[in-house]
Amino acid sequence: MAEVKLENISKHYGEHRVIENLNITVKEGECFTFLGPSGCGKTVILRLIAGFERPTNGEIFIGSSLVSSAEQKIHLPPEERKIGVVFQDYAVWPHKTVYENVIYPLKIQRIDKNEAKQRTMQAITQVGLKGLEKRLPYQLSGGQQQRVALARALVSKPEIMLLDEPLNNLDAKLREEMRFEIKELQREIGVTILYVTHDQEVALAISDRIAIFDHTGHVRQIGAPREIYEKPADKYVFNFMGVSNFIPLEIKNGATIIEDSNIPVALQPPTGKKEALRMLAACRPFDIELTRENTGMKGEVKRVTFLGATMDYRINLGEKELRIQQDTQEALQNNLLFKEGEDCFLKFHNVAWFESQSVEMGVS
Amino acid sequence: MGMIQTGKNRKNLVFSKKVADLKKFGAAELVLILSIIVLVVVVAIPILLIFWNAFTTADGKFNIKDVIWILSKPETYQALLNSVTIALGVTMLSTILGVFFAWLVTRTDLPFKGAMKLLFIVPFMLPSFIGAMAWKILLSPRGGYINVFFKNLLGIDKPLFNIYGMAGIIIVETMYLFPFVFLQVSGALERMDPTLEESAQISGIDLFTITRKITFPLITPSIIAGALLVALYSLSHFGVPAILGTEVGIYNIPTLIYQKIYASAGSFEAIRTGTVLASILVISAAIIMYLQNLVLKKGRYQIIAGKSMRPMLLKLRGFKIPLLIFSILYIAVTVLLPTVTVFLVGALKTYGLPLKHKHMTLENFKYILFSWKMTKDAIKNSVVLSLGAAFVTMLVGTMISYVIVKMKVKGKFILEFLGMLPFSVPGTVIALGVILTWSGRFGVNLYNTAGIIFVAYIARYMAFALKSTSAALEQVHDSLEEASRSCGATHWQALKHIVLPLIKPGMVAAFFLIFLPALRELTTSVLLYGPTTRTIGVAIYALNEDGETVYAMALASIALVIIVLGEILIRKITSTKEGNG
């Protein structure tokens, strides 16, 4: 277990500034996720921490040790950083069996043979590959190869584990299973995990804290999963964490109306922000209720999609389109299923408010 | 552990910083510099010296007048013209043959297509100068076996065929070079997405129009690439023109260089002429390479698709059997006939006797293999030089490819540029270059030793090593090596445990790709050999020149056996490799 600290880290490739002045401290024993769209530089951060890349500026500490410093020209090579890395493409060595793959770090460290053997078998058992030790990687499924990579990273009991989109190439069911297992392993071993993904669901499920990056490589928010989901710092974070409706509003003569229209909306901006003339209301599809009683906000059902447990609607509110979901069962019971072309009324719950600079409204 | 304590221990930090600085100057930069030095010494300096010699006077002044004077001399002018004519003729004929046969084995219902495809690559195995000698034996105006046969049959005085001359050279070269086009084009036709043609067929277009308007344009880049390869090879080819041209006064650039250097025993003017001609070869080769890269880059994205294709096959109907017979006859005439000739003549008691069993003996082979020092030395020289050059070139090539493909070092672009050079340097040029470099100019004199042939082979075959090993390295994803590093392995350990085992097949392939052609090499060796350093190719050529045709053919037979065994071995190795993957 060790803390990881990035201080003023920048990474430039020629003119291209991937990361600029990044400051993050990952606590001991924490599962910390770097969440962002592809190309935002999150993998580069992992590679900087692992020592595969050198920062252009700034310093990286692992525990109390300075491992990278552009200013002092310090660069500890990857092999001396005591980290386990699980790569996006697994990087399981094709010419070694499962057993040979997993025991490799222990061989390099010249661990006593018997101990190495025992620890290897333990790691293989831990990831559920017992009985497959003698297989070569091409005889394994993608999920199994992923577990080999995981066992290999675990076996040397690293202080820090770096995982780069390790669940990307798995099917949905296996992904869910593996993300549970990673979380379990972390609890068991207490290793510090740095996890990179673009999948907000995985991030919410396994992280103690999440850092959200935008596509320019800037951190928008750092916080616990619920904090981020419930109190997103800005529109970007809100949008990234799930399907979102954004409604640009305008306060005119004390009444709230949809921007550049005369459609009134029964929404009250929070008191602190009343001074702002233009606001952005944001909510999830489930936070808008469809009802037949007049709420003052009338919409028209444009499209209905049956998704099993949920019903998915596209509703026109004035010229804007909103995405709304309801529980199929509940709607059936309350006679609230709407047909395409039908009129409906909207009721908002849990609205988040953001400053607005004429943001395009709509579904994202 | 080399971790650095912060705050608490300043001295430790300063010390460790020095260690880190030292490490920074370690492996990566060292390997880069080493790779650059190898390429500079082996390839760049010889080429530069050729240009230097061609374009400066004895006291080092720039000199274009002499260059023009040399080029305007009838003999050099004629040699240039001959080289271009031969290259053009061979390229055109090879392209027609290569495309036709490629189309036949990939896009028609010709029977035994798999076997036929292999047969069309067989001409590669027969060294073209040995083929030329066999054709000389068969078709020389005086005493050529076929000519004699027809003289007796038809009762005529004049020989029917004359293999000497431009036509003979072009035809014989084509026989052994067309597989370049065949391989490129059949590969492209196999990889071509059949839906491209099918969608045209669905639109109701007939097969002839489809072939003309869709298939042909799509494979044009491959045709051009193959044709340029033939042109590159033919332009600087020594063997065939030396055997079929020199005797009747026809020279191309390489044979003229050879003649100049040997006739004048290396006089300044001969070297000057040689370097001027060599410069032209280098420049044209560079242009050809550039064109080829351009064409291949453009063509790559157009046709390549996945596997398991079922292209439309043209039904040959009544032409099926005649075309099959034609193909088999073609191989029989171009490969089997010369090969059999080589073995039979090699077994003759005296040259000129009819090819009958009672005139045959195994004594020639025994004599060459076990008794005659000259041929024994030649075989030993060739084997040792090829093995050594193949081994060294493979290792150095792997190192250079590793830097180019995998490493992030400042100054890599220098190496990338130098790495292109070996691809565009013809054998004759290399020979001339190493003579200029290794004859004491820089304090090392290897002239007339095996060493000079050794460095020449390294330069000549570096391109093969680079191609094969860089392809292998490109398939080893960076993360495999990084995974090893993060497991605690040093750079060297990661190389040893992960990278080298994974690229081993590529390295083995590189070894054989160098060993086999080096074993039969003539173009370079013939300019470099000394009294005790003949190679197999040189020995065969010299024996033939001296009129010892029987022994030349006996030695050629032995060379062919070694080559075929080697080819079988390499096929075995590469196919088991594919089986595992």
Short mmCIF file of all heavy atoms in Angstrom, two decimals, chain A residues 258 263-265 288-303 313-324 338-348 361:
data_model
loop_
_atom_site.label_atom_id
_atom_site.label_comp_id
_atom_site.label_asym_id
_atom_site.label_seq_id
_atom_site.Cartn_x
_atom_site.Cartn_y
_atom_site.Cartn_z
N ILE A 258 -38.49 28.98 -21.07
CA ILE A 258 -37.43 28.37 -21.89
C ILE A 258 -36.80 29.46 -22.74
O ILE A 258 -37.50 30.29 -23.32
CB ILE A 258 -38.01 27.25 -22.79
CG1 ILE A 258 -38.51 26.10 -21.91
CG2 ILE A 258 -36.98 26.76 -23.79
CD1 ILE A 258 -39.09 24.94 -22.68
N ILE A 263 -42.43 29.91 -23.66
CA ILE A 263 -43.02 28.78 -22.95
C ILE A 263 -42.61 28.86 -21.48
O ILE A 263 -41.43 28.79 -21.15
CB ILE A 263 -42.55 27.45 -23.57
CG1 ILE A 263 -42.93 27.44 -25.06
CG2 ILE A 263 -43.14 26.27 -22.84
CD1 ILE A 263 -42.33 26.33 -25.85
N PRO A 264 -43.57 29.03 -20.59
CA PRO A 264 -43.24 29.11 -19.16
C PRO A 264 -42.95 27.71 -18.61
O PRO A 264 -43.46 26.71 -19.09
CB PRO A 264 -44.52 29.67 -18.54
CG PRO A 264 -45.61 29.28 -19.48
CD PRO A 264 -45.02 29.12 -20.84
N VAL A 265 -42.09 27.69 -17.62
CA VAL A 265 -41.71 26.41 -17.01
C VAL A 265 -41.90 26.54 -15.51
O VAL A 265 -41.49 27.53 -14.91
CB VAL A 265 -40.25 26.08 -17.32
CG1 VAL A 265 -39.88 24.73 -16.74
CG2 VAL A 265 -39.99 26.10 -18.81
N ILE A 288 -37.88 13.07 -14.63
CA ILE A 288 -39.04 13.78 -15.16
C ILE A 288 -40.21 12.80 -15.14
O ILE A 288 -40.09 11.68 -15.65
CB ILE A 288 -38.81 14.29 -16.59
CG1 ILE A 288 -37.53 15.14 -16.66
CG2 ILE A 288 -39.99 15.12 -17.06
CD1 ILE A 288 -37.17 15.57 -18.06
N GLU A 289 -41.29 13.23 -14.52
CA GLU A 289 -42.44 12.35 -14.42
C GLU A 289 -43.43 12.73 -15.50
O GLU A 289 -43.66 13.91 -15.77
CB GLU A 289 -43.05 12.51 -13.02
CG GLU A 289 -44.06 11.47 -12.66
CD GLU A 289 -44.74 11.83 -11.34
OE1 GLU A 289 -44.07 12.44 -10.46
OE2 GLU A 289 -45.94 11.54 -11.20
N LEU A 290 -44.02 11.73 -16.13
CA LEU A 290 -45.08 11.99 -17.10
C LEU A 290 -46.42 11.84 -16.38
O LEU A 290 -46.63 10.87 -15.66
CB LEU A 290 -45.01 10.98 -18.25
CG LEU A 290 -43.84 11.13 -19.22
CD1 LEU A 290 -43.89 10.01 -20.26
CD2 LEU A 290 -43.89 12.48 -19.90
N THR A 291 -47.26 12.79 -16.58
CA THR A 291 -48.54 12.70 -15.87
C THR A 291 -49.66 13.24 -16.75
O THR A 291 -49.42 13.87 -17.78
CB THR A 291 -48.46 13.49 -14.54
OG1 THR A 291 -49.76 13.67 -14.04
CG2 THR A 291 -47.80 14.83 -14.73
N ARG A 292 -50.90 12.93 -16.34
CA ARG A 292 -52.04 13.44 -17.11
C ARG A 292 -52.64 14.68 -16.44
O ARG A 292 -53.45 15.37 -17.02
CB ARG A 292 -53.12 12.36 -17.24
CG ARG A 292 -52.65 11.21 -18.11
CD ARG A 292 -53.74 10.20 -18.37
NE ARG A 292 -53.18 8.94 -18.86
CZ ARG A 292 -52.79 8.73 -20.11
NH1 ARG A 292 -52.87 9.69 -21.00
NH2 ARG A 292 -52.28 7.56 -20.46
N GLU A 293 -52.23 14.93 -15.15
CA GLU A 293 -52.78 16.12 -14.48
C GLU A 293 -51.99 17.36 -14.93
O GLU A 293 -50.78 17.29 -15.15
CB GLU A 293 -52.72 15.97 -12.97
CG GLU A 293 -51.33 15.92 -12.42
CD GLU A 293 -51.29 15.48 -10.96
OE1 GLU A 293 -51.33 14.25 -10.71
OE2 GLU A 293 -51.22 16.35 -10.10
N ASN A 294 -52.69 18.44 -15.06
CA ASN A 294 -52.09 19.64 -15.61
C ASN A 294 -51.07 20.24 -14.65
O ASN A 294 -51.40 20.69 -13.57
CB ASN A 294 -53.17 20.68 -15.90
CG ASN A 294 -52.61 21.82 -16.74
OD1 ASN A 294 -51.39 22.06 -16.72
ND2 ASN A 294 -53.48 22.50 -17.44
N THR A 295 -49.77 20.21 -15.08
CA THR A 295 -48.70 20.79 -14.26
C THR A 295 -48.28 22.14 -14.81
O THR A 295 -47.38 22.78 -14.30
CB THR A 295 -47.48 19.88 -14.25
OG1 THR A 295 -47.07 19.69 -15.61
CG2 THR A 295 -47.78 18.55 -13.61
N GLY A 296 -48.91 22.53 -15.90
CA GLY A 296 -48.52 23.78 -16.53
C GLY A 296 -47.45 23.60 -17.59
O GLY A 296 -47.09 24.52 -18.30
N MET A 297 -46.90 22.38 -17.66
CA MET A 297 -45.89 22.15 -18.70
C MET A 297 -46.38 21.05 -19.61
O MET A 297 -46.37 19.89 -19.21
CB MET A 297 -44.57 21.76 -18.06
CG MET A 297 -43.65 22.92 -17.89
SD MET A 297 -42.06 22.39 -17.27
CE MET A 297 -42.48 21.84 -15.67
N LYS A 298 -46.80 21.43 -20.80
CA LYS A 298 -47.39 20.45 -21.69
C LYS A 298 -46.38 20.01 -22.75
O LYS A 298 -45.73 20.85 -23.37
CB LYS A 298 -48.63 21.03 -22.36
CG LYS A 298 -49.48 19.96 -23.00
CD LYS A 298 -50.88 20.47 -23.28
CE LYS A 298 -51.01 20.74 -24.77
NZ LYS A 298 -52.33 21.29 -25.10
N GLY A 299 -46.28 18.69 -22.91
CA GLY A 299 -45.38 18.17 -23.94
C GLY A 299 -46.15 17.28 -24.89
O GLY A 299 -47.29 16.91 -24.64
N GLU A 300 -45.45 16.93 -26.00
CA GLU A 300 -46.07 16.02 -26.95
C GLU A 300 -45.17 14.79 -27.11
O GLU A 300 -43.96 14.94 -27.31
CB GLU A 300 -46.25 16.72 -28.29
CG GLU A 300 -47.05 15.91 -29.29
CD GLU A 300 -46.85 16.39 -30.72
OE1 GLU A 300 -46.40 17.55 -30.89
OE2 GLU A 300 -47.10 15.59 -31.63
N VAL A 301 -45.77 13.60 -27.02
CA VAL A 301 -44.98 12.38 -27.15
C VAL A 301 -44.59 12.18 -28.62
O VAL A 301 -45.45 12.09 -29.48
CB VAL A 301 -45.77 11.15 -26.66
CG1 VAL A 301 -44.93 9.89 -26.82
CG2 VAL A 301 -46.19 11.34 -25.20
N LYS A 302 -43.27 12.16 -28.85
CA LYS A 302 -42.82 12.05 -30.22
C LYS A 302 -42.51 10.60 -30.57
O LYS A 302 -42.81 10.12 -31.64
CB LYS A 302 -41.55 12.88 -30.40
CG LYS A 302 -41.35 13.37 -31.81
CD LYS A 302 -40.12 14.23 -31.86
CE LYS A 302 -39.40 14.05 -33.19
NZ LYS A 302 -37.99 14.41 -33.04
N ARG A 303 -41.87 9.93 -29.59
CA ARG A 303 -41.54 8.54 -29.87
C ARG A 303 -41.54 7.74 -28.58
O ARG A 303 -41.11 8.24 -27.53
CB ARG A 303 -40.18 8.44 -30.54
CG ARG A 303 -40.09 7.18 -31.38
CD ARG A 303 -38.99 7.23 -32.39
NE ARG A 303 -37.70 7.09 -31.72
CZ ARG A 303 -36.62 7.74 -32.11
NH1 ARG A 303 -36.67 8.57 -33.13
NH2 ARG A 303 -35.48 7.56 -31.48
N TYR A 313 -39.10 7.51 -23.65
CA TYR A 313 -39.89 8.48 -24.41
C TYR A 313 -39.02 9.59 -24.96
O TYR A 313 -38.03 9.98 -24.33
CB TYR A 313 -40.94 9.14 -23.51
CG TYR A 313 -42.04 8.22 -23.06
CD1 TYR A 313 -41.93 7.54 -21.86
CD2 TYR A 313 -43.20 8.07 -23.82
CE1 TYR A 313 -42.94 6.70 -21.43
CE2 TYR A 313 -44.23 7.23 -23.40
CZ TYR A 313 -44.09 6.55 -22.20
OH TYR A 313 -45.09 5.73 -21.77
N ARG A 314 -39.38 10.06 -26.12
CA ARG A 314 -38.85 11.34 -26.60
C ARG A 314 -40.04 12.29 -26.59
O ARG A 314 -41.04 12.03 -27.27
CB ARG A 314 -38.32 11.25 -28.02
CG ARG A 314 -37.33 10.13 -28.21
CD ARG A 314 -35.94 10.64 -28.24
NE ARG A 314 -35.01 9.53 -28.06
CZ ARG A 314 -33.72 9.62 -28.24
NH1 ARG A 314 -33.18 10.76 -28.58
NH2 ARG A 314 -32.94 8.58 -28.04
N ILE A 315 -39.90 13.35 -25.82
CA ILE A 315 -41.03 14.27 -25.66
C ILE A 315 -40.63 15.64 -26.21
O ILE A 315 -39.53 16.11 -25.95
CB ILE A 315 -41.37 14.43 -24.15
CG1 ILE A 315 -41.61 13.07 -23.50
CG2 ILE A 315 -42.54 15.40 -23.97
CD1 ILE A 315 -42.96 12.46 -23.75
N ASN A 316 -41.51 16.25 -26.97
CA ASN A 316 -41.26 17.61 -27.42
C ASN A 316 -41.83 18.61 -26.43
O ASN A 316 -43.01 18.55 -26.09
CB ASN A 316 -41.92 17.85 -28.78
CG ASN A 316 -41.03 17.36 -29.90
OD1 ASN A 316 -39.89 16.90 -29.65
ND2 ASN A 316 -41.52 17.44 -31.12
N LEU A 317 -40.97 19.49 -25.94
CA LEU A 317 -41.43 20.58 -25.08
C LEU A 317 -41.12 21.86 -25.85
O LEU A 317 -39.97 22.25 -25.96
CB LEU A 317 -40.70 20.54 -23.74
CG LEU A 317 -41.06 21.62 -22.74
CD1 LEU A 317 -42.49 21.48 -22.25
CD2 LEU A 317 -40.10 21.58 -21.55
N GLY A 318 -42.14 22.45 -26.41
CA GLY A 318 -41.91 23.54 -27.35
C GLY A 318 -41.11 22.97 -28.52
O GLY A 318 -41.50 21.97 -29.10
N GLU A 319 -39.98 23.60 -28.81
CA GLU A 319 -39.18 23.08 -29.92
C GLU A 319 -38.10 22.12 -29.45
O GLU A 319 -37.32 21.62 -30.24
CB GLU A 319 -38.52 24.25 -30.66
CG GLU A 319 -39.50 24.98 -31.55
CD GLU A 319 -38.88 26.23 -32.13
OE1 GLU A 319 -37.66 26.44 -31.94
OE2 GLU A 319 -39.62 27.00 -32.76
N LYS A 320 -38.02 21.93 -28.13
CA LYS A 320 -36.93 21.11 -27.57
C LYS A 320 -37.39 19.68 -27.35
O LYS A 320 -38.55 19.42 -27.06
CB LYS A 320 -36.45 21.70 -26.24
CG LYS A 320 -36.40 23.19 -26.21
CD LYS A 320 -35.20 23.73 -26.96
CE LYS A 320 -35.23 25.26 -26.98
NZ LYS A 320 -34.17 25.84 -27.79
N GLU A 321 -36.39 18.78 -27.46
CA GLU A 321 -36.70 17.37 -27.25
C GLU A 321 -36.14 16.93 -25.91
O GLU A 321 -34.99 17.23 -25.59
CB GLU A 321 -36.11 16.53 -28.37
CG GLU A 321 -36.63 15.12 -28.38
CD GLU A 321 -35.94 14.28 -29.45
OE1 GLU A 321 -34.77 13.91 -29.22
OE2 GLU A 321 -36.54 14.01 -30.50
N LEU A 322 -36.93 16.21 -25.12
CA LEU A 322 -36.47 15.68 -23.83
C LEU A 322 -36.53 14.16 -23.87
O LEU A 322 -37.36 13.57 -24.55
CB LEU A 322 -37.38 16.18 -22.69
CG LEU A 322 -37.39 17.68 -22.43
CD1 LEU A 322 -38.37 17.99 -21.33
CD2 LEU A 322 -35.99 18.17 -22.06
N ARG A 323 -35.61 13.55 -23.11
CA ARG A 323 -35.63 12.09 -23.02
C ARG A 323 -36.13 11.72 -21.63
O ARG A 323 -35.58 12.19 -20.63
CB ARG A 323 -34.23 11.56 -23.25
CG ARG A 323 -34.17 10.08 -23.18
CD ARG A 323 -33.46 9.52 -24.41
NE ARG A 323 -33.19 8.10 -24.19
CZ ARG A 323 -32.02 7.56 -24.27
NH1 ARG A 323 -30.98 8.29 -24.57
NH2 ARG A 323 -31.87 6.28 -24.06
N ILE A 324 -37.14 10.93 -21.58
CA ILE A 324 -37.79 10.60 -20.30
C ILE A 324 -37.97 9.09 -20.21
O ILE A 324 -38.28 8.43 -21.21
CB ILE A 324 -39.15 11.30 -20.21
CG1 ILE A 324 -38.94 12.82 -20.22
CG2 ILE A 324 -39.92 10.87 -18.96
CD1 ILE A 324 -40.20 13.61 -20.35
N PHE A 338 -48.10 6.33 -22.40
CA PHE A 338 -48.54 7.29 -23.42
C PHE A 338 -48.25 6.75 -24.80
O PHE A 338 -47.32 5.97 -25.00
CB PHE A 338 -47.84 8.63 -23.21
CG PHE A 338 -48.32 9.36 -22.00
CD1 PHE A 338 -47.79 9.09 -20.75
CD2 PHE A 338 -49.33 10.31 -22.10
CE1 PHE A 338 -48.23 9.75 -19.63
CE2 PHE A 338 -49.78 10.98 -20.98
CZ PHE A 338 -49.24 10.71 -19.73
N LYS A 339 -49.07 7.19 -25.76
CA LYS A 339 -48.86 6.75 -27.14
C LYS A 339 -48.17 7.87 -27.91
O LYS A 339 -48.21 9.04 -27.50
CB LYS A 339 -50.20 6.43 -27.80
CG LYS A 339 -50.80 5.14 -27.33
CD LYS A 339 -51.95 4.75 -28.28
CE LYS A 339 -52.96 3.89 -27.58
NZ LYS A 339 -53.98 4.68 -26.83
N GLU A 340 -47.59 7.53 -29.04
CA GLU A 340 -46.95 8.54 -29.88
C GLU A 340 -48.00 9.51 -30.39
O GLU A 340 -49.08 9.10 -30.79
CB GLU A 340 -46.21 7.87 -31.05
CG GLU A 340 -44.93 7.22 -30.60
CD GLU A 340 -44.17 6.48 -31.69
OE1 GLU A 340 -44.54 6.63 -32.86
OE2 GLU A 340 -43.23 5.78 -31.33
N GLY A 341 -47.68 10.80 -30.32
CA GLY A 341 -48.62 11.82 -30.77
C GLY A 341 -49.52 12.34 -29.66
O GLY A 341 -50.17 13.38 -29.80
N GLU A 342 -49.55 11.65 -28.55
CA GLU A 342 -50.42 12.03 -27.44
C GLU A 342 -49.81 13.23 -26.70
O GLU A 342 -48.59 13.42 -26.68
CB GLU A 342 -50.53 10.84 -26.48
CG GLU A 342 -51.84 10.77 -25.73
CD GLU A 342 -51.91 9.48 -24.90
OE1 GLU A 342 -51.21 8.52 -25.24
OE2 GLU A 342 -52.64 9.46 -23.92
N ASP A 343 -50.65 14.02 -26.05
CA ASP A 343 -50.16 15.11 -25.20
C ASP A 343 -49.93 14.59 -23.80
O ASP A 343 -50.60 13.67 -23.36
CB ASP A 343 -51.18 16.25 -25.16
CG ASP A 343 -51.10 17.09 -26.42
OD1 ASP A 343 -50.12 16.91 -27.16
OD2 ASP A 343 -52.03 17.89 -26.67
N CYS A 344 -48.97 15.21 -23.10
CA CYS A 344 -48.73 14.78 -21.72
C CYS A 344 -48.26 15.98 -20.93
O CYS A 344 -47.88 17.02 -21.49
CB CYS A 344 -47.70 13.67 -21.68
SG CYS A 344 -46.14 14.18 -22.40
N PHE A 345 -48.27 15.84 -19.63
CA PHE A 345 -47.74 16.90 -18.77
C PHE A 345 -46.50 16.42 -18.04
O PHE A 345 -46.35 15.22 -17.80
CB PHE A 345 -48.81 17.36 -17.79
CG PHE A 345 -49.91 18.12 -18.47
CD1 PHE A 345 -51.11 17.49 -18.81
CD2 PHE A 345 -49.74 19.46 -18.80
CE1 PHE A 345 -52.11 18.18 -19.46
CE2 PHE A 345 -50.74 20.16 -19.45
CZ PHE A 345 -51.92 19.52 -19.78
N LEU A 346 -45.61 17.36 -17.77
CA LEU A 346 -44.31 16.99 -17.19
C LEU A 346 -44.19 17.53 -15.78
O LEU A 346 -44.67 18.63 -15.47
CB LEU A 346 -43.17 17.56 -18.02
CG LEU A 346 -43.22 17.32 -19.53
CD1 LEU A 346 -42.08 18.05 -20.23
CD2 LEU A 346 -43.16 15.83 -19.83
N LYS A 347 -43.53 16.75 -14.93
CA LYS A 347 -43.27 17.19 -13.56
C LYS A 347 -41.80 16.89 -13.27
O LYS A 347 -41.35 15.78 -13.53
CB LYS A 347 -44.17 16.38 -12.63
CG LYS A 347 -44.38 17.02 -11.26
CD LYS A 347 -45.06 16.03 -10.35
CE LYS A 347 -46.40 16.56 -9.83
NZ LYS A 347 -47.12 15.46 -9.13
N PHE A 348 -41.05 17.86 -12.80
CA PHE A 348 -39.61 17.68 -12.61
C PHE A 348 -39.28 17.34 -11.16
O PHE A 348 -39.82 17.91 -10.24
CB PHE A 348 -38.85 18.94 -13.01
CG PHE A 348 -38.79 19.12 -14.50
CD1 PHE A 348 -39.88 19.63 -15.19
CD2 PHE A 348 -37.64 18.78 -15.21
CE1 PHE A 348 -39.83 19.79 -16.55
CE2 PHE A 348 -37.60 18.94 -16.56
CZ PHE A 348 -38.69 19.44 -17.25
N MET A 361 -29.73 23.31 -25.84
CA MET A 361 -30.53 22.41 -25.04
C MET A 361 -30.79 21.13 -25.79
O MET A 361 -30.75 21.07 -26.99
CB MET A 361 -31.88 23.07 -24.74
CG MET A 361 -32.85 22.10 -24.14
SD MET A 361 -34.47 22.82 -23.97
CE MET A 361 -35.49 21.53 -24.62
#
